[in-house]
Amino acid sequence: MMENCSKPLKSTDKATCPVCFRHCRLGEGQRGFCHGRVCKEGEVVAQNYGEISSLCLDPIEKKPLKRFHPGSKILSVGSYGCNLSCPFCQNYEISFSCNKNPPKIPTKYISPEELCYLAVSKVPVNNIGLAFTYNEPLIGYEYVRDCGKLIHKAGLLNVLVTNGTCEIEILEEILPLIDAINVDFKGFSSNFYSEFLGGNIDQTMNFIKKASEKCHVEITTLIIPGYNDSDKEMVDICKWIASLKNGENIPYHISRFFPRNKMKNVNATDVELVYHLADIAKQNLKYVYEGNC
């Protein structure tokens, strides 16, 4: 049975996970915070490699990507696990239901070759490629890399939907294979990221900056009443986005929160507030979209 990384281990014979700021130090058989990576034979590898929990042909706008091949569809694939702990997670069934071994969520192994074949088979129904989404795909970046190479070889496109919580070295390894990214940028407060999400805002900001220099990037922020919904925060986050290379042209999605996961007692975001914040965003950004309204 795999051990959870919260259990104390001996200080010897540990391996360090390279993926995100946590750098989980793991003994043999121990899983990291994300529950998707495990120490095996002295190396931290993706335990969720090819273990698919979700597979669906989606409109590209659902990712959401509004200015990347609009009107097309994309084969969307997800596994399990996440390196953040957002209490409002919309996909918590696959992100957080993996704290047992084996994970509670049912999965099916699909090899990169088989997944590429499936993507190609959907081209006649307007599929443009493959989107890694639903859970956090970069905790299993090796699968993204291996599938991405085959997808490009087949003449199709790769899309990444991510929280942007990974080291630049990991991003640089896969970025040549990625054609578009939607980053879930959850707010503009260090405390909000560290205390509420268990994340690191600096790592996400560095991710967005690097990615936006190399491929098509769109950004999404879920507006949670009382947490990240102030006018000032919207002004600050949009000014920062606009400061990036060609930043004023980065599409920005402002999405409405609905009660979910551990925040079922919080009211849904007022539609009027979403449109109000979108008006503020438009002062610095050209392409602003209201979501879930």
Side-chain angles (χ1 to χ4, degrees):
M1 171 136 348
M2 300 290 181
E3 297 180 0
N4 187 287
C5 70
S6 62
K7 293 183 179 180
L9 295 174
K10 295 179 180 179
S11 60
T12 57
D13 300 322
K14 290 184 180 180
T16 301
C17 181
V19 171
C20 74
F21 71 96
R22 297 184 186 281
H23 295 298
C24 294
R25 293 276 292 162
L26 307 176
E28 188 68 21
Q30 186 180 25
R31 288 185 296 161
F33 178 93
C34 66
H35 296 291
R37 301 187 68 81
V38 64
C39 182
K40 184 177 181 181
E41 297 179 357
E43 182 181 3
V44 180
V45 298
Q47 186 187 28
N48 66 355
Y49 185 99
E51 296 296 332
I52 304 307
S53 66
S54 309
L55 187 67
C56 185
L57 187 65
D58 287 328
I60 192 72
E61 291 83 0
K62 191 177 177 180
K63 298 305 92 191
L65 290 170
K66 284 285 192 177
R67 303 189 66 81
F68 183 78
H69 296 267
S72 63
K73 294 185 178 181
I74 195 157
L75 186 63
S76 301
V77 60
S79 183
Y80 64 84
C82 186
N83 52 5
L84 295 184
S85 54
C86 306
F88 50 82
C89 181
Q90 304 295 292
N91 289 331
Y92 70 94
E93 295 93 345
I94 62 174
S95 294
F96 297 144
S97 65
C98 52
N99 56 1
K100 300 290 184 181
N101 187 63
K104 289 182 180 179
I105 190 76
T107 63
K108 176 184 178 181
Y109 179 77
I110 301 179
S111 70
E113 292 78 11
E114 184 180 0
L115 189 59
C116 182
Y117 175 82
L118 287 172
V120 172
S121 74
K122 299 299 181 182
V123 169
V125 289
N126 205 24
N127 178 44
I128 62 170
L130 196 60
F132 302 93
T133 181
Y134 301 135
N135 75 307
E136 174 47 52
L138 291 182
I139 64 172
Y141 76 93
E142 298 94 335
Y143 189 67
V144 174
R145 175 196 65 205
D146 295 348
C147 293
K149 290 178 180 178
L150 296 176
I151 289 293
H152 269 187
K153 189 175 181 179
L156 301 181
L157 303 173
N158 292 302
V159 166
L160 187 67
V161 182
T162 176
N163 60 32
T165 303
C166 84
E167 294 288 6
I168 292 299
E169 292 79 9
I170 300 297
L171 175 62
E172 287 178 337
E173 181 172 346
I174 66 164
L175 199 50
L177 303 169
I178 304 299
D179 301 288
I181 302 177
N182 184 286
V183 183
D184 192 2
F185 194 27
K186 299 172 187 292
F188 207 59
S189 163
S190 295
N191 288 339
F192 178 78
Y193 255 83
S194 61
E195 297 176 13
F196 196 60
L197 314 174
N200 184 305
I201 191 172
D202 291 333
Q203 186 161 76
T204 302
M205 292 171 70
N206 290 336
F207 181 102
I208 293 172
K209 183 177 185 296
K210 182 70 175 181
S212 66
E213 294 170 352
K214 299 293 184 179
C215 75
H216 179 86
V217 168
E218 302 194 16
I219 297 172
T220 299
T221 299
L222 184 70
I223 302 301
I224 306 166
Y227 290 87
N228 64 347
D229 60 347
S230 71
D231 290 8
K232 182 182 185 305
E233 184 158 347
M234 182 55 60
V235 169
D236 291 344
I237 196 170
C238 291
K239 283 186 175 179
W240 179 79
I241 294 171
S243 73
L244 301 175
K245 183 179 180 181
N246 201 33
E248 65 178 11
N249 291 313
I250 292 177
Y252 186 44
H253 303 260
I254 301 174
S255 294
R256 188 183 181 206
F257 161 86
F258 289 99
R260 191 74 168 148
N261 194 20
K262 296 179 181 178
M263 297 188 70
K264 294 178 180 178
N265 61 331
V266 177
N267 292 330
T269 316
D270 288 339
V271 172
E272 293 79 7
L273 176 59
V274 173
Y275 281 95
H276 169 71
L277 294 175
D279 286 340
I280 292 174
K282 290 172 185 176
Q283 297 173 14
N284 288 285
L285 304 174
K286 288 184 179 180
Y287 306 110
V288 179
Y289 304 95
E290 302 87 0
N292 298 336
C293 292

